[in-house]
Amino acid sequence: MDDSLSSADNFSILADSSQSSRRFDVISEARSTSLHRAWVGTNWTIQDPASQRLTWYKPPLSVLVIKKVRDAMVIPPFIELVSWLTLEKRMVVFVEASVLEEPLVTKHAKFPDVKDKLMSFNEKHDDLTDKIDFIICLGGDGTLLYASSLFQQSVPPVMAFHLGSLGFLTPFKFSNFQEQVTNVLEGHAALTLRSRLRCIIVRGGYDKPQPKKPKPDATTAPWLPDPGVKLPSNLLVLNEVVIDRGPSPYLSNLDLYLDGRRITSVQGDGLLVSTPTGSTAYAVAAGASMIHPSVPAIMVTPICPHSLSFRPIIVPAGVELKITVSKDSRNTAWISFDGRMRQELTHDDSLRVTTSIYPVPSICAEDQIADWFASLDDCLRWNDRKRQRHFDDGNTAADDANLMSDDANPPSADAKNPSDDANHQCDGANRLSDDGNLMSDDGNMSESSSASSSVPTTPTSAASGVCALYDAEAGPSGLCRVAEITESEGGDSDDDSCNDNHEAGPS
């Protein structure tokens, strides 16, 4: 192999040799805005994305390690990883210059042993295009987005470890990082080609005198960029480009063009143009569908549209979108690229968006399909709900109904049914009434009253009507002890409900 290959071209994406020897390339032809594949002959069969594998032309020598900032939990894994890469794998390790100055890093006990072996770079001044063979991210999804922004052309393969909050794009666990990194360095890895969007801002009013704007500060306009900083007008984004109304209280009014043809006017809070990778980010929160990152497409999603019928749409990856501020719009628009580089879009400007020919080769922990659905389940709880109870067959349902009926009406020794109990209670009430009349006829009313007054009033339960002094030792008749005392002394029970409730037996 020719040693003159740059570091950025030190790898290729090959189909699985067991299926085909065709190379899966992203190439540029006359129209650089189109996404093409290299076909062989007239075999118009679509390549299986799951067969995409990483193959190194020569062993990788340099690696870029990007860690999550301002997080003490990432410091020990970071020190352990860079120490292993420099001492064990003998690789040239690049880190950000700001990382070498972080107090949490410099105070670590093992950092002085590896500090002199690390190479540093500055995002604003250094170009890493021909220096990096391999990228390792430690943190959340933001680390992968940041790695993508560092390479505005070809991107080395990216291996992302989950040490952040969400971890949708970071499938690897750090517990056995030595084995996993070794497998990748030896070429045993599956890949997901995550397409990016090329965004170009065309300034229509560049020849017109622009009014000078006051320099913003944290109290007046913190959302405005520093006028002294020149922002790029040509960027590649991995998730989405957002065009919104910014600090204005009015609706945004944008015109959307597709390959030069005006499609619609967007009135609302703004517009999202996202990749399939970004479909599970801001777009899905705005009501869009989720697209697998291997699908070549561009998603257009309105943000809080002023029309109920404005639904998100998906267009082919090769088209060019143009967004302009409508002439009758009350305000300008503001653009941000993957949440960064925020700048204003005036009435004379336009934004051109199309699919870039430089995707991000993201290394899979298992494969494209398994990793994506695992992220949907773990991070977004996709279709997570209680399972519906299945139908039972007729015999089982009948048996269950009989058991429920038996539990509700337990068999008694006398095989009584509810109507018999009701009649029995009625007969008991009549019998007590007859006894009271006989006692009254015998002239024993005063004695009966005397006997009744010597016993305290029997409390009853208002909810159930059952005597609160019920004694289980009263026998099968279920009469309370107060009633027995009253009858034994020749008196009459004033609480007929007590006797009625107990005469049928304890329930």
Side-chain angles (χ1 to χ4, degrees):
M1 186 59 61
D2 188 2
D3 293 335
S4 62
L5 287 172
S6 65
S7 298
D9 297 327
N10 188 29
F11 67 95
S12 65
I13 303 163
L14 300 178
D16 192 350
S17 58
S18 62
Q19 298 183 12
S20 172
S21 61
R22 291 181 300 170
R23 178 179 297 182
F24 185 89
D25 288 333
V26 181
I27 61 175
S28 174
E29 293 186 353
R31 184 182 179 188
S32 62
T33 59
S34 299
L35 183 67
H36 302 277
R37 290 181 178 179
W39 303 100
V40 176
T42 58
N43 185 14
W44 292 95
T45 58
I46 298 177
Q47 180 69 49
D48 181 12
S51 65
Q52 297 173 16
R53 310 291 300 183
L54 173 64
T55 300
W56 299 100
Y57 288 137
K58 55 184 179 181
L61 300 178
S62 59
V63 56
L64 171 63
V65 179
I66 299 176
K67 76 170 192 67
K68 186 179 180 180
V69 298
R70 296 187 299 274
D71 192 350
M73 185 188 69
V74 185
I75 303 302
F78 170 75
I79 300 296
E80 186 177 1
L81 175 64
V82 296
S83 300
W84 181 76
L85 290 173
T86 54
L87 301 177
E88 298 292 334
K89 293 299 181 179
R90 303 296 181 180
M91 300 185 70
V92 179
V93 181
F94 284 80
V95 297
E96 292 182 86
S98 59
V99 172
L100 302 179
E101 300 173 358
E102 288 187 19
L104 294 175
V105 176
T106 56
K107 293 179 181 179
H108 196 277
K110 298 182 179 179
F111 180 71
D113 299 336
V114 296
K115 180 179 180 180
D116 296 336
K117 299 180 176 63
L118 299 179
M119 302 290 292
S120 63
F121 76 95
N122 189 296
E123 176 189 3
K124 298 180 180 180
H125 303 96
D126 298 330
D127 185 11
L128 299 175
T129 302
D130 299 328
K131 299 179 181 179
I132 304 299
D133 294 330
F134 181 40
I135 302 175
I136 297 179
C137 296
L138 301 177
D141 297 344
T143 57
L144 184 59
L145 296 176
Y146 178 67
S148 171
S149 68
L150 294 176
F151 297 86
Q152 292 298 302
Q153 292 185 6
S154 180
V155 184
V158 182
M159 185 178 187
F161 286 91
H162 175 40
L163 293 172
S165 301
L166 188 62
F168 195 93
L169 305 178
T170 54
F172 288 94
K173 306 298 182 183
F174 193 79
S175 55
N176 58 336
F177 76 93
Q178 297 94 337
E179 177 183 354
Q180 297 180 95
V181 174
T182 301
N183 288 335
V184 173
L185 296 178
E186 293 176 355
H188 307 303
L191 282 176
T192 297
L193 285 179
R194 299 185 180 274
S195 62
R196 293 191 291 177
L197 298 177
R198 175 163 293 282
C199 305
I200 302 174
I201 300 178
V202 179
R203 299 293 182 184
Y206 61 89
D207 55 346
K208 299 179 182 179
Q210 300 292 328
K212 294 184 178 180
K213 298 180 181 180
K215 187 175 181 179
D217 53 48
T219 58
T220 58
W223 59 84
L224 296 176
D226 190 343
V229 178
K230 184 178 180 180
L231 297 175
S233 59
N234 190 335
L235 287 169
L236 298 185
V237 298
L238 179 58
N239 264 356
E240 75 276 311
V241 53
V242 181
I243 309 99
D244 57 37
R245 58 179 179 165
S248 173
Y250 303 110
L251 290 176
S252 66
N253 195 346
L254 307 172
D255 290 332
L256 176 63
Y257 296 83
L258 184 64
D259 277 345
R261 176 178 299 184
R262 185 180 181 277
I263 300 300
T264 187
S265 178
V266 181
Q267 295 187 77
D269 282 353
L271 187 69
L272 291 170
V273 182
S274 58
T275 64
T277 297
S279 67
T280 50
Y282 195 173
V284 74
S289 299
M290 296 179 289
I291 308 176
H292 191 276
S294 296
V295 177
I298 300 176
M299 175 170 286
V300 180
T301 307
I303 305 174
C304 299
H306 213 246
S307 171
L308 294 178
S309 60
F310 196 171
R311 307 301 300 166
I313 60 174
I314 300 173
V315 297
V319 303
E320 182 185 74
L321 297 174
K322 184 177 75 170
I323 299 100
T324 62
V325 180
S326 298
K327 294 182 179 179
D328 56 351
S329 176
R330 296 183 177 183
N331 58 298
T332 61
W334 286 82
I335 314 173
S336 61
F337 307 91
D338 279 343
R340 309 176 69 213
M341 304 295 181
R342 189 168 177 83
Q343 50 191 297
E344 189 176 10
L345 189 71
T346 66
H347 289 76
D348 297 325
D349 303 334
S350 64
L351 173 68
R352 311 291 179 90
V353 181
T354 188
T355 303
S356 172
I357 62 173
Y358 301 109
V360 175
S362 178
I363 299 175
C364 303
E366 186 174 350
D367 57 59
Q368 291 186 5
I369 304 301
D371 284 9
W372 193 65
F373 279 99
S375 296
L376 291 182
D377 183 42
D378 296 339
C379 302
L380 301 184
R381 301 298 180 187
W382 179 65
N383 199 26
D384 187 4
R385 63 178 296 275
K386 295 180 64 176
R387 296 296 298 271
Q388 186 180 26
R389 185 178 63 84
H390 65 85
F391 284 122
D392 294 329
D393 56 18
N395 296 331
T396 304
D399 295 341
D400 293 341
N402 293 333
L403 290 175
M404 294 175 63
S405 177
D406 294 341
D407 293 339
N409 300 311
S412 60
D414 297 335
K416 296 180 180 180
N417 55 38
S419 61
D420 295 338
D421 293 339
N423 294 332
H424 196 182
Q425 292 183 12
C426 183
D427 294 340
N430 294 334
R431 185 167 59 253
L432 290 174
S433 179
D434 295 339
D435 294 341
N437 294 333
L438 292 175
M439 294 170 65
S440 176
D441 295 339
D442 293 340
N444 297 327
M445 183 63 69
S446 60
E447 182 180 354
S448 172
S449 301
S450 169
S452 300
S453 61
S454 63
V455 180
T457 303
T458 305
T460 59
S461 173
S464 62
V466 179
C467 177
L469 296 180
Y470 168 77
D471 190 352
E473 297 179 358
S477 63
L479 296 177
C480 68
R481 183 172 299 277
V482 176
E484 291 179 351
I485 295 174
T486 304
E487 292 181 358
S488 64
E489 295 181 358
D492 186 15
S493 173
D494 292 335
D495 193 352
D496 292 342
S497 62
C498 176
N499 293 324
D500 293 344
N501 287 328
H502 291 304
E503 188 166 356
S507 58

